[in-house]
Amino acid sequence: MPNLKLDYPGILDLFKQHIAPKRTESAAFLIWYLENYYRLEEPEAIDAVCDYHGDKGVDGIFVNDNDQTITIFQSVISQKSDRTIGDVALKEFAGTLTQFRTSNDEKP
């Protein structure tokens, strides 16, 4: 792997093959991540990403039938190197995860 700058915009080189006009940079990164760390084929990785307006903080969902697990992803890319995510975004994502604790037929 070439010497990449893991700062914006250098990090975009890592997943430039997934950058597309109607796809956010964070969605492109998540596709790359799913291919490289979850070892998904490109079509599976693309299908797992649901990073759209109104997604309620869920950027990707991976269902592992063998392990009987569901993994929920949120991906954020900042264009400022000195920006931190803080705990507010993490708390919001934790709140988002609560909607997956039970099925629609069950009461919490």
Side-chain angles (χ1 to χ4, degrees):
M1 183 177 290
N3 187 11
L4 297 174
K5 183 178 178 192
L6 294 180
D7 207 350
Y8 195 88
I11 194 169
L12 299 178
D13 289 336
L14 190 65
F15 51 90
K16 62 186 169 191
Q17 73 274 20
H18 297 302
I19 295 175
K22 294 186 178 184
R23 182 180 292 149
T24 65
E25 291 172 348
S26 60
F29 170 76
L30 185 53
I31 292 167
W32 174 87
Y33 179 85
L34 290 168
E35 286 179 343
N36 288 276
Y37 289 90
Y38 276 68
R39 301 289 188 219
L40 300 183
E41 297 294 326
E42 184 176 7
E44 290 176 298
I46 290 170
D47 285 346
V49 174
C50 53
D51 185 19
Y52 304 105
H53 180 71
D55 62 17
K56 299 193 183 220
V58 175
D59 295 337
I61 299 174
F62 174 65
V63 178
N64 186 324
D65 293 323
N66 293 331
D67 293 341
Q68 295 185 343
T69 59
I70 300 172
T71 306
I72 311 296
F73 296 94
Q74 186 176 62
S75 175
V76 177
I77 292 181
S78 175
Q79 295 182 359
K80 298 179 181 179
S81 61
D82 61 344
R83 182 176 174 218
T84 60
I85 191 166
D87 65 344
V88 172
L90 293 173
K91 288 177 185 177
E92 288 173 356
F93 185 59
T96 293
L97 294 177
T98 62
Q99 67 185 323
F100 295 98
R101 287 208 173 124
T102 61
S103 71
N104 286 340
D105 299 334
E106 297 177 31
K107 296 189 184 222

